[in-house]
Amino acid sequence: MITIKNLSRIFTSTEVQTRALSRVNLQINEGDFISIMGPSGCGKSTLLHIIGLLDDISEGSYALLGQEIFGLNEKERARIRKANIGFIFQNFNLIDELNVYDNIELPLIYNRIPPGERKVRIQKMAEKLSISHRLQHYPQQLSGGQQQRVAVARALINNPKIILADEPTGNLDSSNGNDVMELLTTLHAQGTTILMVTHSMHDAGFSQKIITMKDGEILTERKNQKTVDVFKS
Ligand code: ADP
Ligand code: MG
């Protein structure tokens, strides 16, 4: 599904060059649930942004669903992104001026889904995430846990093939964090491919594979022996 070869990302400003990623090789298969761990500044978010087509590659190659991304223009990348990728961020990244309904609706509008179908899909998704009674609220009127559920709803509303989550539980208490992890686990069981950056060993325990990074490089890649089974506990 994703093949990355010798990928580097160098940020250049007038004074300094930062090598955020250095010769990264990574293969992600359909149905994988992978965690990325590593100290702050090691390149985790940069890698996620590149995989999500939000950022450019400096060197190397990146193929998503069989298509080479390097060299595509922004319009083509946006089309692939909207059709295939859902993002979940640490800070939820909801639009404060829009209510919950409108926040979830945005990706559907981008993908030109007709209004009637939009309504049905939003109501169904809201029910699934237990936020039906909050659709007219604004993000600031919600708890962190509720905001992240709205963000998850927005990420899922177009049935993306891959979910990219950057420290999705980083701003949540453990109970709300566990809710989000259970959601991701359910999605994974239903076939969604998930790539998650996390600082939490507990959260990484939900994934099948753990990748550790350091100084822009992938250090280790190992199978997770004791995958947390949320359905048994
Ligand atoms: P992590 O998510 O692992 O904490 P990041 O991917 O955010 O790390 O950052 C990796 C390195 O790249 C850091 O040194 C960071 O300062 C640098 N970096 C990230 N984004 C930019 C940018 N837009 N411009 C310049 N440097 C950046
Ligand atoms: Mg980061």
Side-chain angles (χ1 to χ4, degrees):
M1 178 171 232
I2 286 172
T3 306
I4 285 171
K5 285 188 186 145
N6 284 318
L7 182 142
S8 296
R9 176 64 167 112
I10 299 152
F11 292 108
T12 311
S13 74
T14 42
E15 291 105 38
V16 284
Q17 276 207 345
T18 310
R19 203 176 179 83
L21 293 173
S22 191
R23 282 174 238 102
V24 168
N25 291 291
L26 181 61
Q27 171 77 34
I28 299 175
N29 298 315
E30 200 167 339
D32 278 351
F33 184 175
I34 298 175
S35 293
I36 302 177
M37 305 190 79
S40 182
C42 71
K44 305 179 298 294
S45 294
T46 303
L47 181 59
L48 219 62
H49 289 163
I50 287 175
I51 289 174
L53 311 183
L54 293 173
D55 191 13
D56 277 320
I57 305 168
S58 303
E59 294 160 10
S61 71
Y62 167 27
L64 171 63
L65 299 163
Q67 173 160 33
E68 176 56 46
I69 299 299
F70 193 73
L72 292 185
N73 64 34
E74 175 49 29
K75 201 174 159 195
E76 293 166 318
R77 292 195 308 180
R79 183 183 55 76
I80 299 172
R81 180 168 63 234
K82 284 185 271 185
N84 297 295
I85 296 168
F87 283 96
I88 304 171
F89 300 94
Q90 179 176 5
N91 296 321
F92 322 133
N93 278 19
L94 298 172
I95 297 176
D96 287 336
E97 291 74 27
L98 298 180
N99 68 19
V100 168
Y101 186 98
D102 294 343
N103 263 287
I104 302 172
E105 189 178 32
L106 267 188
L108 295 173
I109 296 174
Y110 291 151
N111 272 349
R112 299 172 197 277
I113 307 296
E117 188 184 335
R118 295 206 295 258
K119 195 170 173 190
V120 174
R121 278 168 68 171
I122 292 166
Q123 281 167 349
K124 223 166 138 185
M125 184 60 73
E127 232 163 81
K128 197 167 153 183
L129 295 182
S130 316
I131 47 173
S132 300
H133 57 307
R134 294 285 183 264
L135 286 173
Q136 302 308 318
H137 284 61
Y138 286 81
Q140 296 311 316
Q141 300 172 309
L142 303 177
S143 70
Q146 290 169 334
Q147 287 189 55
Q148 195 59 305
R149 285 216 293 280
V150 175
V152 171
R154 182 185 57 182
L156 297 181
I157 197 76
N158 278 321
N159 301 316
K161 292 198 180 65
I162 176 160
I163 291 278
L164 302 175
D166 199 347
E167 302 186 39
T169 68
N171 282 345
L172 300 177
D173 60 38
S174 60
S175 161
N176 280 308
N178 263 323
D179 286 352
V180 168
M181 290 315 303
E182 287 188 20
L183 260 169
L184 292 179
T185 305
T186 306
L187 285 172
H188 173 239
Q190 291 166 353
T192 307
T193 306
I194 300 175
L195 188 60
M196 172 180 75
V197 169
T198 182
H199 282 297
S200 153
M201 269 317 289
H202 174 77
D203 288 0
F206 288 86
S207 63
Q208 302 166 308
K209 200 194 257 183
I210 301 175
I211 289 172
T212 57
M213 291 181 67
K214 197 185 170 205
D215 299 335
E217 296 180 25
I218 291 184
L219 214 58
T220 62
E221 199 176 321
R222 64 176 168 85
K223 278 214 169 90
N224 183 16
Q225 299 302 338
K226 36 177 195 169
T227 307
V228 178
D229 190 344
V230 291
F231 302 107
K232 273 188 191 154
S233 61

